[in-house]
Amino acid sequence: MCGIVGYIGRRPALPVIIDGLKRLEYRGYDSAGVAVTGNGRAGVTKTEGRIDALIAKLARAGAPQSTVGIGHTRWATHGRPSDANAHPHTDCSGQLAVVHNGVIENYLILRQGLEARGHKFRSETDTEVIAHLIEEHYNGDLVEAVRKVTPLLAGYYAFVVLRTDEPDRLVAVRRENPLIVGLGDDENFLASDIPAILRYTRRVVVLEDGDFVVVERSRVTVTDFAGNPVERRAMDIEWDAEAAEKGGFPHFMLKEIFEQPGCLKQTLAGRLVNGGPKGPSETGIIFDKGILDTEEVAALDRVFVTACGTAFHAGLVGKHLMEKLARLPVEADIASEFRYRDLLLSRGDLLVVVSQSGETLDTLAAQREAVRRGGRVVAITNVVGSSVAREADEVIYTRAGPEIAVCSTKAYTAQLLAFVLLATHMGVARGTYPADRAAEILHECRRLPELTERVLGGAPAMEELGERLAAWEDVFYIGRGLDYAVAMEGQLKLKEISYIHAEALAAGELKHGTLALIDKGVPVIALVTQPDLREKTISNVQVVKARGGHVIAVAVEGDDEIAGHADEVIYLPKTHPYLEPVLAAIPLQLIAYYAAVKRGCDVDKPRNLAKSVTVE
Ligand code: AGP
């Protein structure tokens, strides 16, 4: 869950590396460092704190000049954040430096052996063993030494190594954790994520699990760990460099919330057939050919959904929709649980994996477990070429653009829309949902970007509400069915960025314990957007009111009656009930955002969290 940048070329390496690290700060930001070749030792500068602290340290120390270097921004796994534990880590000679993302699971035993053989360790990290092991196997050829060391490392990792007396190459390895190569003109780049290098090149090779790469100024050689050549095709990245900047908003999160209408358009682009479904053979929705073909979908018996965090909450909405439309048993489970269950998933079952980054380790492991048992996988992800995407049988890219804020917003609503498309497609393909009713859903899908704009128009009112909620230490969210799934996402938004304790409950469950916490004025956000469950939720709202709770209802325009039950109402435009979750998510995102700003929290980089969770 750290950010890596490497550069080899003709220009000074440090500015390129620092710029890349700044763009990756969302991956981890408790310490940072750089190493460059030259003067007989790897010139390492590193510090606890953010990239700005590193820049200040470089300015004080006098930045070393070189055209080759590596850098790292860290999210601690082994060893607390400190100068010593910051990457890069060096060997005893100080000639070799390494930056690493991931976990070396057998580092303790390796370290004990290395110490017994005289190696001196300076940090508490697992990473440092890599540097010393390479030193031990070095016999004048860095590539050979790294090749010998890689099989000794258990766990998952991406790392980049430089040696100051071999200044014309960087050596890097990918095992599960992401790593890409940016191709330039007489210069090349390495990075854990594409935004790090977009300013310099749009031509990118996404390395795969098990790739070993030697990067020189004018050549990139990819092999497997054993040295057998492998072919990796370069792709052109079309993201606008601007899209990775804040674009005038005070935070990436707010910018990304406001990008949602455009993102939803992108999610839909090219996927809807004009005129809508004509019947099972033409469901009105276009996916790539594969396991979502009509006959395949019709033959399904069961579906599983797995993901983490926000993506899991999208999966809960997906579960409801697939059950309602495709009339299939659908089981949703958190990936970190799913991967260790004695799964009753059998050959032919379908697993839908949801992951914004496509690199979340638990999600990827759950996916691999399902595949091992014969399941087939549809991935809903935002990142082209991510691990989850590459290992799936079918991918529905959400196309929300790079999401920088740790707190997921636009990726979530795009995931919801992807599920609406998937469930509608399955329902028509299976003949369980009539084509004319599916056409109504798809018609509303087309209106969704415009409706989302309208909801965003209510931001000032959400600002006022968010600022009021900032004074509370507990906020509750209730709902039933799809509304419950959205309530879960609402509470996660609030707690992860404002640090207010928030809890979501199935509205009917409140009376079984949590009601004891409802007292005078306690804020309860009640989602009441689903017509079939509206009456039931209203009776739960009344129970809260009777205990003095302050009810903020999220309801659909035209529901005037709800105003008589709640203290205040956030009205959403009317659309198909299956699309209301997309609209309902937006005020909840805004409330969380403004509460966090009011409390002075670091909105884009909440404490203890990181954007891409590539550890277990
Ligand atoms: C959401 O705001 C969180 N940052 C987190 O729950 C996130 O959704 C989760 O870690 C899953 O990430 P993924 O979608 O990249 O797999």
Side-chain angles (χ1 to χ4, degrees), residues 307-312 354-360 363 405-409 415 489 492-493 496 609-613:
C308 302
T310 287
F312 175 69
V354 195
S355 175
Q356 184 283 131
S357 62
E359 300 293 348
T360 300
T363 306
V406 167
C407 187
S408 184
T409 52
Q415 286 160 358
E489 175 58 4
L492 181 65
K493 294 302 86 168
E496 75 173 314
L609 301 181
K611 184 64 182 166
S612 180
V613 186

Side-chain angles (χ1 to χ4, degrees), residues 7-310:
Y7 176 76
I8 180 162
R10 302 283 169 206
R11 47 180 131 192
L14 273 179
V16 178
I17 293 167
I18 295 289
D19 181 61
L21 290 180
K22 278 212 147 261
R23 286 163 210 282
L24 295 186
E25 221 176 354
Y26 62 91
R27 283 188 65 90
Y29 35 82
D30 58 43
S31 52
V34 291
V36 294
T37 58
N39 300 330
R41 289 176 73 82
V44 175
T45 310
K46 56 187 189 170
T47 182
E48 185 180 347
R50 299 204 160 175
I51 311 295
D52 284 342
L54 177 65
I55 294 170
K57 191 165 185 176
L58 283 165
R60 283 195 304 275
Q65 299 298 313
S66 175
T67 55
V68 184
I70 56 178
H72 189 268
T73 174
R74 178 168 185 253
W75 186 82
T77 56
H78 289 69
R80 69 202 155 80
S82 69
D83 286 8
N85 288 337
H87 299 216
H89 292 285
T90 50
D91 62 357
C92 296
S93 75
Q95 295 199 58
L96 179 143
V98 59
V99 288
H100 161 231
N101 179 13
V103 172
I104 308 299
E105 286 174 346
N106 58 342
Y107 85 101
L108 258 185
I109 188 101
L110 292 171
R111 180 173 178 145
Q112 284 160 3
L114 285 159
E115 283 176 331
R117 296 192 292 277
H119 289 266
K120 297 275 176 276
F121 278 73
R122 301 179 197 89
S123 76
E124 305 157 306
T125 65
D126 53 341
T127 304
E128 197 178 340
V129 299
I130 303 174
H132 293 283
L133 279 174
I134 297 172
E135 176 176 38
E136 206 162 67
H137 288 83
Y138 187 73
N139 202 6
D141 184 345
L142 182 61
V143 174
E144 277 314 303
V146 177
R147 220 183 276 296
K148 282 182 191 149
V149 165
T150 304
L152 307 177
L153 305 172
Y156 40 92
Y157 43 79
F159 65 81
V160 185
V161 190
L162 69 71
R163 238 191 103 93
T164 195
D165 57 352
E166 294 194 34
D168 295 322
R169 56 187 176 178
L170 295 171
V171 181
V173 173
R174 176 187 174 158
R175 183 170 174 199
E176 298 206 27
N177 282 57
L179 198 63
I180 60 112
V181 182
L183 305 175
D185 193 7
D186 217 17
E187 62 180 353
N188 288 308
F189 307 78
L190 277 155
S192 50
D193 303 76
I194 291 169
I197 50 118
L198 263 192
R199 189 168 164 194
Y200 304 98
T201 180
R202 296 184 163 276
R203 197 113 183 96
V204 164
V205 176
V206 178
L207 295 174
E208 299 204 5
D209 210 6
D211 282 356
F212 185 107
V213 61
V214 181
V215 179
E216 298 162 278
R217 282 183 182 80
S218 50
R219 190 166 49 168
V220 173
T221 313
V222 187
T223 64
D224 61 16
F225 287 0
N228 304 306
V230 291
E231 204 177 319
R232 297 280 172 252
R233 259 192 288 163
M235 57 169 116
D236 288 312
I237 303 298
E238 283 163 19
W239 297 345
D240 182 351
E242 270 292 302
E245 304 290 342
K246 279 188 210 153
F249 287 90
H251 297 98
F252 281 115
M253 181 181 171
L254 192 61
K255 170 178 171 279
E256 288 162 5
I257 290 172
F258 274 84
E259 281 172 352
Q260 289 176 105
C263 297
L264 295 170
K265 276 186 204 156
Q266 287 301 314
T267 309
L268 287 178
R271 291 197 164 128
L272 298 187
V273 178
N274 277 336
K278 310 257 180 305
S281 60
E282 198 183 309
T283 68
I285 301 155
I286 302 164
F287 293 116
D288 292 342
K289 277 261 167 279
I291 59 171
L292 292 176
D293 286 354
T294 305
E295 313 76 57
E296 301 279 341
V297 171
L300 282 173
D301 290 326
R302 244 167 8 152
V303 178
F304 293 80
V305 180
T306 197
C308 302
T310 287

Side-chain angles (χ1 to χ4, degrees), residues 500-611:
I500 296 171
H501 168 247
E503 203 172 326
L505 287 136
E509 186 65 10
L510 196 58
K511 57 188 175 294
H512 296 290
T514 312
L515 193 58
L517 298 176
I518 305 300
D519 205 354
K520 194 165 182 319
V522 171
V524 177
I525 298 180
L527 287 119
V528 201
T529 73
Q530 299 299 308
D532 54 338
L533 294 165
R534 181 180 164 279
E535 293 299 326
K536 297 284 171 201
T537 308
I538 287 178
S539 60
N540 303 129
V541 163
Q542 284 165 338
V543 168
V544 171
K545 283 294 299 165
R547 271 75 186 169
H550 181 87
V551 176
I552 300 148
V554 180
V556 178
E557 278 169 1
D559 186 352
D560 299 332
E561 190 201 333
I562 195 79
H565 300 289
D567 294 283
E568 37 194 313
V569 185
I570 299 165
Y571 278 113
L572 305 172
K574 192 171 173 60
T575 179
H576 194 287
Y578 296 165
L579 290 165
E580 291 291 355
V582 177
L583 301 182
I586 294 167
L588 304 187
Q589 296 167 349
L590 287 166
I591 290 168
Y593 171 78
Y594 288 116
V597 171
K598 179 74 176 173
R599 287 166 73 102
C601 300
D602 192 346
V603 174
D604 285 335
K605 295 177 186 131
R607 67 186 182 202
N608 305 338
L609 301 181
K611 184 64 182 166

